[in-house]
Amino acid sequence: MDFPSVSLGPPIAKRLSRLDVQIEANRCLNCYDAPCTRACPTAIDVPRFIGRIATGDLAGSARTIMDANPVGASCARVCPTDQLCEGACVYNADENPIRIGDLQRFATDWAIRENAVLFTAGPPTGKRVAVIGSGPAGLAAARELARAGHAVTIFERDPAPGGLDTYGIVPFRLPAEIALWEAEQVRALGVEIRTGVAVGRDVEPATLLAEYDAVMIAIGMGAVPRLGIEGEDAAGVWDALDFIRVAKCGGDVGTLGERVAVIGGGNTAIDAATCSRRLALRQAQGDTSVTMYYRRGAERMTAYDFEIEFAQVEGVEFRTFVVPKRILVENGRVAGLELLATDPAGSARPLAGTECVVAADTVILAIGQQRHVALLDAFGVMHDVNGIATVDETMRTNVPRVYAAGDCTFQPGGIDAMVVEAAQRGKVAARNIDLLLRTEPR
Amino acid sequence: MADLSIDLGGIRSPNPFWLASAPPTNSGYQVMRAFAAGWGGAVWKTLALEPIVNVTSRFAGQNIGSYRMAGMNNIELITDRPLDENLREIAECKAAYPDRAIIVSLMTECTRESWHELVRRCETVPVDGFELNFGCPHGMSERGQGAAVGQDPELVELITRWVKEAAHVPVIVKLTPNITDIRYTARAAAKGGADAISLINTLNSLMGVDLDTWLPIPHVDGKSSHGGFCGPSVKPIALNMVGACAKDAQVGIPISGIGGIADWRDAVEFMLMGSTSVQVCTAVMHHGFRIVADMIDGLNNYLDARGIASVREIVGKTVPRFVDWNDLNLDYKVVARIDPESCIRCNKCYIACEDAAHQCIDRPADPRLAPVVDEEHCVGCNLCQMVCPVVDCIEMVRVDAGDTVHTWREKLPSVP
Ligand SMILES: Cc1cc2nc3c(=O)[nH]c(=O)nc-3n(C[C@H](O)[C@H](O)[C@H](O)COP(=O)(O)OP(=O)(O)OC[C@H]3O[C@@H](n4cnc5c(N)ncnc54)[C@H](O)[C@@H]3O)c2cc1C
Ligand SMILES: Cc1cc2nc3c(=O)[nH]c(=O)nc-3n(C[C@H](O)[C@H](O)[C@H](O)COP(=O)(O)O)c2cc1C
Ligand code: SF4
Ligand code: SF4
Ligand code: SF4
């Protein structure tokens, strides 16, 4: 499908030069039971894909990556590699790990450029599986199910597939065309991707249960919750995900004004902040200041350190130990923020009588994401009080033949909600659905 | 400052570093630059009565990982410039650098007159010695010259004698490694009266095949022929041959070591194995003449650190320890020991021992811990130490009492 190609300035990931690729690929030691592979949630055989780059077998390299990780091209750009593969590389003893992510990008870029056909569908089993959601978890599951020979239909609410990879991750980190290429790889295996179809609205859960041999729920998370404070409906107040989505799709976010206030301290807040900095630059509003307001100390921010550093480099300012009490509105538009200081011990409890006002023309809320509780309920899938679906280690829910994976299953404090983890759980779900369909014929 | 000057069979030079007869010694311009950079001697690119015609292309490199030119192969022949032009330039170089050794490499057809004529013509200019090219493995060998001579001990002896009849300066015989046992041709050279031998010339080789065109590499208009291989990759072969000649009583003449020498450490090894001077080609083709400054510096510091006054003192010092397998002590035992502090947990030692040695490296269940050698079953083969990327992380430790010696020779006295 046509998707506007928006970059919003130079990409974060550096493209390795051909010389660097050769040096890096040859520097890899080809470790045995390699720690980098152990640290990759999808267990990409890192020394193998790097070795294949070194010998010029780029098809084999790309296949090694994409075999283990159906969204390996996106992951090459968005994975927090210093927490994962690169953080485990034996060269950390010299603080000089192999640039695994950049090499992965080199190999997958080759596959994209060459239009390489990496996988084929398995011999048809006659079984049908419905996958709800085409984010990393849904795509990974669909790809594996198709390779196992099952007929897969993906139901996707959005006009384009890819989930947050396509709509949610800022374009200078992950251009939409990468995620769309990955979706296309899955479609090419015979998977039907029905975009613009929301399950629960356009298709009933009962219909899916009746027409498919198994159902896989990979619906991610929902919108950013409301703060529940005065002034939230004013023009210039944004849900961070909507904001990034409009920007990434080339839409108009309107004038940002001189001061952008981002509420939150996670990766989404960082993305919204850097995105607004770059948008302001593009709107020739170079003097627009962007400030992140966070309710605890900087060390408690859930954003990765490298993300925070990146935001600092991009000129984002930080203000900690504050919560918004009220959004000030003038003529229907945001005019400022009334803040309360919080407990300096870090409990985030607001302290009465500490009100202060800062000017703001745009307010972006990035305080977490809601859950698609209604859809889980419609399937009868058990979930906790927060709306997080309950699954066992095979990704099975309490409902027979219904599985769930990805962000809609991740507990806070458990598995980090990230692309590579969602992809891995999608794979696990697919493997177990396949097992079910082969061993328990209906 | 140690004394680096040497005397190889009567040829003196201020240091042991000579350029081998090869493209770096093609012309007076180059040899002047080399001497200015500090080279102690130069063996001029092989001369003949008539110049030959060379082909394009000529060379190919062996790249291993990021390392370029671990070896190189060539199908170049000897000089393609007229003899008189070369001789005039030799005279100019000698006049400009009288303290350096200029040795002229020679090759001609297999007749007494031809060799006498070539020697006579070359001695019209001041040369310090001759080197007889009995080694060129390609092209010239098809014309009955080069390695075709060097592979036949009788011809080696005969031609050496012819040259010695005519020459007034020392004669070095350059040997080909493309032979089963190099001692036979070395002995023949000595018998023919050679003042020294130099080895090795290049090894028969084919560098590669182009994966896209299926043409051999390098190719000349779509075809190739075997060439001569040299560079760092050939060093172990050259060192073994130098050692074999050095310890052979029937050879008994000085040696100029050649083959894969790229820095001062290689040079020291060749000298310890019996070389008086060393010759270099590929390393210069890779990096230029300036490397000699580092060779001189490194050798100097090495000798000074050990209080060795002259480089001549180290020549051949390792040769007595280069013996037959039958004389090795079967009671000697070392085992590998891993330093968990410097280990980076790559597990290369583990998989090497597991798949290719003696299955005696254990991995703790916790992958954060270093592998451990089961010393009782370790045979001390060194493989783990070789694959370990961390210098000095795996040490080979002696574990026998060190007070007994038993050799295969005494076990089986019938073995010659
Ligand atoms: C701003 C932002 C930045 C991020 N940056 C990174 C990063 O740098 N690195 C990283 O690893 N992770 C990052 N993440 C996290 C990562 O994007 C998610 O963990 C990952 O996308 C989860 O994949 P998923 O398939 O579970 O869900 P999603 O990607 O959210 O996909 C769910 C899909 O289901 C569809 N859907 C929902 N309901 C229905 C329905 N009823 N019917 C049909 N379709 C439905 C949605 O439209 C969506 O396409 C970021 C997240 C955000 C929000
Ligand atoms: C391109 C090329 C041409 C050579 N030409 C000659 C030659 O004319 N005469 C000769 O005796 N050796 C010749 N050699 C062999 C070198 O002198 C030397 O013996 C060999 O390269 C090994 O040394 P190295 O490993 O330092 O290169 C040539 C080598 C190369 C690479
Ligand atoms: S840990 Fe580093 S050196 Fe070892 S295989 Fe992985 S990337 Fe290569
Ligand atoms: S020395 Fe050889 S046998 Fe001993 S541990 Fe190392 S690889 Fe194994
Ligand atoms: S090869 Fe060396 S660094 Fe690697 S695990 Fe073994 S001892 Fe440690």
Side-chain angles (χ1 to χ4, degrees):
Chain A
M1 72 164 282
D2 281 344
F3 199 98
S5 182
V6 173
S7 65
L8 287 187
I12 297 174
K14 184 171 166 264
R15 192 193 294 268
L16 289 180
S17 70
R18 273 184 63 185
L19 182 61
D20 276 347
V21 167
Q22 274 313 306
I23 292 172
E24 261 330 77
N26 284 307
R27 199 163 67 89
C28 172
L29 294 167
N30 189 6
C31 296
Y32 178 75
D33 189 10
C36 49
T37 294
R38 268 187 267 126
C40 171
T42 59
I44 292 178
D45 192 335
V46 174
R48 176 149 286 161
F49 96 69
I50 293 181
R52 289 180 179 186
I53 291 176
T55 64
D57 177 14
L58 293 177
S61 180
R63 196 171 281 122
T64 302
I65 295 163
M66 299 299 290
D67 176 46
N69 184 343
V71 292
S74 291
C75 280
R77 291 164 168 85
V78 305
C79 273
T81 49
D82 62 348
Q83 319 263 326
L84 302 171
C85 53
E86 290 176 19
C89 173
V90 296
Y91 277 121
N92 277 292
D94 289 336
E95 295 177 356
N96 193 13
I98 300 288
R99 292 167 68 179
I100 300 169
D102 293 341
L103 288 172
Q104 183 169 327
R105 175 171 172 197
F106 175 79
T108 50
D109 276 354
W110 176 89
I112 295 172
R113 204 172 52 241
E114 297 293 318
N115 255 317
V117 176
L118 300 174
F119 305 102
T120 51
T125 61
K127 304 285 182 183
R128 306 179 68 209
V129 183
V131 174
I132 311 173
S134 66
L139 283 181
R143 212 274 312 260
E144 292 302 274
L145 289 164
R147 286 175 77 191
H150 307 301
V152 184
T153 306
I154 299 181
F155 296 88
E156 170 54 59
R157 191 183 54 184
D158 277 337
L164 288 173
D165 281 357
T166 300
Y167 290 102
I169 300 183
V170 288
F172 38 94
R173 189 182 306 284
L174 179 61
E177 50 262 36
I178 305 298
L180 296 174
W181 174 79
E182 286 165 343
E184 183 54 31
Q185 300 306 296
V186 176
R187 210 194 51 73
L189 296 178
V191 171
E192 185 190 0
I193 305 182
R194 294 177 58 187
T195 50
V197 179
V199 176
R201 181 189 71 192
D202 307 318
V203 182
E204 283 314 308
T207 316
L208 295 187
L209 287 172
E211 291 182 1
Y212 292 85
D213 298 291
V215 175
M216 152 92 182
I217 300 175
I219 51 178
M221 292 188 256
V224 174
R226 293 169 64 86
L227 281 167
I229 59 173
E230 190 185 324
E232 227 172 330
D233 295 318
V237 181
W238 284 92
D239 164 333
L241 295 178
D242 287 342
F243 181 82
I244 295 169
R245 182 188 183 100
V246 170
K248 196 169 181 181
C249 293
D252 185 9
V253 295
T255 308
L256 296 176
E258 282 176 22
R259 289 176 205 81
V260 176
V262 179
I263 315 296
N267 292 313
T268 304
I270 297 267
D271 277 9
T274 52
C275 197
S276 32
R277 270 295 284 182
R278 291 193 171 200
L279 273 172
L281 285 173
R282 213 175 52 155
Q283 293 179 351
Q285 297 175 0
D287 49 350
T288 298
S289 73
V290 177
T291 308
M292 277 176 58
Y293 295 92
Y294 180 54
R295 61 196 170 131
R296 304 182 213 262
E299 72 291 345
R300 296 282 296 275
M301 285 193 185
T302 52
Y304 296 120
D305 289 346
F306 70 88
E307 293 260 33
I308 295 171
E309 277 164 33
F310 170 66
Q312 283 166 339
V313 170
E314 294 274 304
V316 173
E317 289 159 45
F318 294 83
R319 188 152 166 203
T320 50
F321 294 109
V322 286
V323 287
K325 184 185 176 193
R326 192 156 63 97
I327 297 173
L328 310 179
V329 183
E330 274 171 27
N331 305 324
R333 174 155 186 120
V334 174
L337 263 182
E338 186 174 41
L339 300 168
L340 276 172
T342 62
D343 167 22
S347 72
R349 186 172 48 84
L351 303 176
T354 57
E355 286 83 353
C356 75
V357 169
V358 293
D361 307 298
T362 298
V363 173
I364 302 175
L365 305 179
I367 53 167
Q369 283 177 263
Q370 289 173 319
R371 305 289 173 162
H372 296 298
V373 182
L375 189 64
L376 296 182
D377 286 339
F379 273 102
V381 165
M382 258 166 50
H383 55 78
D384 69 3
V385 285
N386 299 313
I388 299 168
T390 310
V391 289
D392 66 11
E393 72 283 352
T394 69
M395 304 297 126
R396 206 169 53 175
T397 70
N398 59 303
V399 182
R401 300 187 290 113
V402 176
Y403 289 70
D407 274 6
C408 63
T409 63
F410 294 149
Q411 300 276 353
I415 295 163
D416 271 357
M418 52 181 158
V419 173
V420 67
E421 293 285 11
Q424 175 59 15
R425 307 305 137 171
K427 268 169 59 191
V428 172
R431 198 177 307 141
N432 288 294
I433 292 172
D434 178 49
L435 210 63
L436 171 84
L437 298 184
R438 283 176 196 281
T439 51
E440 292 177 47
R442 227 160 45 106
Chain B
M1 277 289 277
D3 177 8
L4 297 191
S5 69
I6 55 124
D7 181 333
L8 178 90
I11 304 173
R12 276 185 288 275
S13 68
N15 66 51
F17 302 111
W18 294 2
L19 290 171
S21 171
T25 59
N26 258 336
S27 66
Y29 170 77
Q30 290 165 285
V31 173
M32 289 277 200
R33 280 176 60 79
F35 285 163
W39 289 89
V43 186
W44 208 269
K45 175 75 184 173
T46 303
L47 302 183
L49 288 168
E50 295 299 331
I52 52 76
V53 178
N54 269 314
V55 291
T56 57
S57 58
R58 302 177 197 178
F59 310 152
Q62 181 196 31
N63 306 325
I64 300 179
S66 286
Y67 193 91
R68 316 265 319 157
M69 273 170 74
M72 75 170 277
N73 148 295
N74 82 88
I75 52 172
E76 172 174 307
L77 302 183
I78 57 176
T79 189
D80 48 17
R81 301 165 61 233
L83 183 57
D84 287 339
E85 199 174 308
N86 277 302
L87 293 178
R88 197 186 64 242
E89 292 173 5
I90 288 169
E92 287 164 8
C93 290
K94 192 66 200 173
Y97 292 94
D99 65 324
R100 312 302 167 87
I102 297 185
I103 297 95
V104 179
S105 172
L106 304 178
M107 186 190 289
T108 188
E109 63 188 83
C110 199
T111 66
R112 191 167 180 230
E113 297 68 41
S114 178
W115 280 98
H116 280 190
E117 165 73 358
L118 187 57
V119 167
R120 191 191 57 73
R121 297 267 305 270
C122 291
E123 284 196 347
T124 58
V125 295
V127 298
D128 297 296
F130 291 120
E131 184 181 82
L132 311 188
N133 181 349
F134 294 163
C136 202
H138 48 272
M140 300 313 288
S141 56
E142 293 171 22
R143 305 175 195 181
Q145 302 177 20
V149 173
Q151 285 163 340
D152 183 339
E154 281 177 22
L155 281 179
V156 169
E157 185 184 335
L158 182 69
I159 297 176
T160 306
R161 187 161 289 135
W162 289 341
V163 173
K164 282 298 287 181
E165 288 166 2
H168 299 88
V169 292
V171 174
I172 307 168
V173 170
K174 184 166 178 178
L175 302 175
T176 175
N178 299 310
I179 187 168
T180 317
D181 188 338
I182 199 157
R183 291 174 304 175
Y184 288 84
T185 44
R187 289 170 190 161
K191 257 171 97 181
D195 300 280
I197 48 173
S198 58
L199 63 158
I200 59 175
N201 207 311
T202 54
L203 287 140
N204 283 333
S205 63
L206 171 61
M207 187 47 78
V209 179
D210 187 296
L211 295 182
D212 295 318
T213 62
W214 298 2
L215 296 179
I217 302 172
H219 74 89
V220 178
D221 197 13
K223 292 177 183 156
S224 195
S225 70
H226 78 270
F229 189 58
C230 55
S233 292
V234 310
K235 183 186 132 187
I237 299 168
L239 206 52
N240 171 52
M241 292 186 168
V242 165
C245 291
K247 73 174 187 189
D248 188 275
Q250 295 176 58
V251 175
I253 50 176
I255 298 171
S256 181
I258 320 170
I261 296 164
D263 61 31
W264 64 271
R265 295 169 304 179
D266 299 327
V268 169
E269 291 177 69
F270 271 82
M271 299 186 115
L272 289 169
M273 286 312 297
S275 304
T276 299
S277 78
V278 292
Q279 300 186 28
V280 179
C281 165
T282 303
V284 166
M285 295 185 74
H286 198 173
H287 304 295
F289 294 130
R290 68 195 296 273
I291 59 170
V292 75
D294 306 313
M295 298 177 128
I296 291 170
D297 185 67
L299 178 60
N300 237 323
N301 293 338
Y302 176 83
L303 296 174
D304 287 352
R306 282 161 186 74
I308 300 170
S310 162
V311 71
R312 301 176 201 210
E313 291 174 37
I314 69 170
V315 173
K317 282 295 183 287
T318 304
V319 175
R321 297 189 167 267
F322 191 48
V323 298
D324 288 351
W325 196 97
N326 281 334
D327 298 317
L328 302 179
N329 182 5
L330 299 172
D331 295 346
Y332 179 74
K333 184 162 163 60
V334 293
V335 296
R337 207 167 279 168
I338 295 170
D339 170 22
E341 294 296 313
S342 49
C343 166
I344 60 171
R345 318 294 194 254
C346 69
N347 300 321
K348 297 217 62 99
C349 58
Y350 165 79
I351 198 60
C353 188
E354 192 69 11
D355 285 359
H358 294 82
Q359 301 79 45
C360 52
I361 295 184
D362 301 321
R363 290 185 63 202
D366 182 348
R368 285 169 304 179
L369 300 179
V372 180
V373 177
D374 166 7
E375 295 189 1
E376 200 187 321
H377 294 103
C378 170
V379 303
C381 71
N382 290 356
L383 180 63
C384 54
Q385 192 192 43
M386 287 151 58
V387 301
C388 179
V390 183
V391 180
D392 294 339
C393 175
I394 299 184
E395 192 189 355
M396 303 306 297
V397 187
R398 182 163 191 178
V399 290
D400 69 310
D403 50 5
T404 57
V405 177
H406 286 99
T407 67
W408 193 255
R409 198 182 295 284
E410 68 195 30
K411 264 192 172 180
L412 291 176
S414 59
V415 175

